[in-house]
Amino acid sequence: MKINKITFFTIILMILTSCNEKETASEIIQKTINTIDTIETIYYKQDMARTNPQNINDTILRYREMYFKRLISDSIVGVKGHWYMYVNDKENVVYEDIYDGHRLIRKNNQDSIVRIYDLDKYPDFKRKHFWSHNTLYGMQFEFKYMLNHSSSYSIKRLNDTIVRNVNCYQVLVILKDKMTMPGFATKLEDDKGSISKTTYFIDKETNYPIKMKGEFYSTDNLEQKVFIDQTYYNLEFNIDLNENVWFNTTNRSIDGYEKIEMKPE
C-alpha cells in the first residue's frame, strides 16, 4: 500500500510528539542544565511580582533589564552582571547593580548614592548570600541540586502550555518540611510544616526557562501565603559584550555619586 507524503509526515509528527510527551520532568530539567552550559553571555528583560515581606497583603512589582557574562569561578551569582531596575513606566532607571567579580556597585540614580561592596578587600562577602539575584547560572545550580537530592524534592511534569506565544513545558517542583535559599546558597534545612511549590515554564525550542511562579506557606498558617511570579523575555544568547562598558566598577565610572563603602556585618 502506498502512503502519500501528507500522511507520511503526519505519522512522523505524531511519533515525534509521542516521544516528546514521554520526556519526564527530570529529563526536561537536565536538558535545561545542558542548554545553560552553552550560554556565555545573555541579555533579557524581567517582569516580577511578589509578596511584600513587610506586608503580605501588598504586592511588589519590579521591572529589570539584565546583561550577564558567565563567571563560573564566582560563588555568589556566577556572572559578571549589569542590572537596570525601572519604575512602573519601564523607562526611568531607579537603581543599577554592576558586578565584575571583584566589586559590586549599587547605584541609586534618584539620590546619587553608590554603595560599594569590595569582595577582595572584604572576602567575608563571599561567604554569605547577600545578593539575591537569581541568575541563569544560579538557576542551573538549583536544578543540579534538585536532581542530586531528588529524595527531598517532588519534580512533576504538568501539561504543556503557551507563555507569550511560546510553547512551553511546565515543571512543578515541590519541597516539603525543608527550607532553602535560591541560587548558589542552596542548602536544605529542616523546617517542619513549610511547603514551597515552584512551577518553571521552559521554552520547548530553546530549553530555556522563560517564566517561574512560586508559592510558599506553612501548614500551621495556610492563609499566610507568599508568592513570586517572574517572566523573562526579549532573550538574546551569546551576544558580544564590551566588559569595559557593561561591567565597569571603577571609581571613575561613578563620579558625581556619593560613595558609601559597605562592610560585612
Side-chain angles (χ1 to χ4, degrees):
M1 184 192 324
K2 292 184 177 180
I3 301 177
N4 63 40
K5 290 183 178 180
I6 295 177
T7 303
F8 175 77
F9 284 116
T10 300
I11 293 172
I12 293 298
L13 181 61
M14 290 174 63
I15 293 172
L16 291 174
T17 302
S18 176
C19 292
N20 188 48
E21 291 301 323
K22 291 180 181 178
E23 288 179 305
T24 67
S26 294
E27 289 171 339
I28 293 169
I29 291 295
Q30 185 61 58
K31 286 170 62 175
T32 298
I33 290 170
N34 297 341
T35 291
I36 293 175
D37 273 336
T38 69
I39 301 171
E40 293 300 320
T41 60
I42 188 171
Y43 161 82
Y44 59 85
K45 293 183 178 180
Q46 177 201 72
D47 291 354
M48 181 185 75
R50 67 175 175 86
T51 302
N52 183 345
Q54 306 300 322
N55 179 4
I56 65 168
N57 295 314
D58 184 30
T59 297
I60 295 175
L61 302 177
R62 294 286 185 266
Y63 307 100
R64 296 188 178 97
E65 187 175 19
M66 307 182 180
Y67 295 83
F68 293 141
K69 179 178 175 62
R70 189 181 186 98
L71 188 62
I72 296 175
S73 60
D74 178 63
S75 63
I76 298 175
V77 290
V79 295
K80 296 181 180 182
H82 195 138
W83 290 252
Y84 297 93
M85 192 171 82
Y86 293 84
V87 292
N88 291 353
D89 61 12
K90 295 189 179 183
E91 293 182 2
N92 295 299
V93 178
V94 182
Y95 302 106
E96 288 180 65
D97 277 6
I98 306 171
Y99 180 61
D100 65 357
H102 301 280
R103 295 213 307 175
L104 162 68
I105 61 173
R106 313 194 88 162
K107 299 169 65 175
N108 183 327
N109 293 322
Q110 290 181 314
D111 298 336
S112 295
I113 294 175
V114 168
R115 287 174 171 80
I116 301 171
Y117 298 78
D118 190 323
L119 279 69
D120 292 334
K121 186 175 181 180
Y122 301 110
D124 281 353
F125 280 137
K126 297 181 181 181
R127 300 191 180 100
K128 58 189 293 190
H129 194 70
F130 75 96
W131 196 12
S132 61
H133 289 299
N134 187 12
T135 70
L136 69 165
Y137 303 110
M139 192 180 299
Q140 182 191 48
F141 185 91
E142 290 177 31
F143 288 157
K144 289 180 179 179
Y145 192 93
M146 292 174 192
L147 296 185
N148 290 332
H149 297 79
S150 57
S151 61
S152 296
Y153 292 87
S154 170
I155 306 175
K156 301 178 181 179
R157 177 175 179 176
L158 306 181
N159 292 333
D160 297 345
T161 189
I162 296 176
V163 176
R164 297 178 69 93
N165 298 319
V166 175
N167 292 319
C168 293
Y169 300 111
Q170 278 192 98
V171 175
L172 172 65
V173 178
I174 301 175
L175 183 64
K176 294 183 178 180
D177 297 322
K178 301 283 186 181
M179 66 176 297
T180 185
M181 286 288 291
F184 292 95
T186 298
K187 183 176 66 172
L188 291 176
E189 296 181 356
D190 291 335
D191 189 19
K192 187 68 175 178
S194 70
I195 297 176
S196 72
K197 298 180 179 180
T198 306
T199 304
Y200 295 93
F201 301 80
I202 299 172
D203 186 332
K204 297 179 73 172
E205 181 177 350
T206 65
N207 296 311
Y208 189 84
I210 63 170
K211 184 179 178 68
M212 65 84 70
K213 294 174 65 175
E215 182 181 55
F216 315 94
Y217 58 93
S218 171
T219 54
D220 294 333
N221 195 346
L222 295 177
E223 294 183 355
Q224 299 290 312
K225 293 185 177 181
V226 298
F227 79 96
I228 185 169
D229 188 332
Q230 295 186 150
T231 302
Y232 319 102
Y233 57 100
N234 289 9
L235 289 95
E236 297 179 29
F237 301 103
N238 294 320
I239 58 176
D240 290 331
L241 293 177
N242 184 330
E243 295 192 30
N244 293 327
V245 174
W246 295 108
F247 314 124
N248 184 355
T249 65
T250 63
N251 287 332
R252 188 172 182 179
S253 71
I254 48 179
D255 282 346
Y257 284 80
E258 177 187 345
K259 302 174 184 63
I260 300 175
E261 184 177 58
M262 305 301 292
K263 298 180 180 180
E265 296 180 358

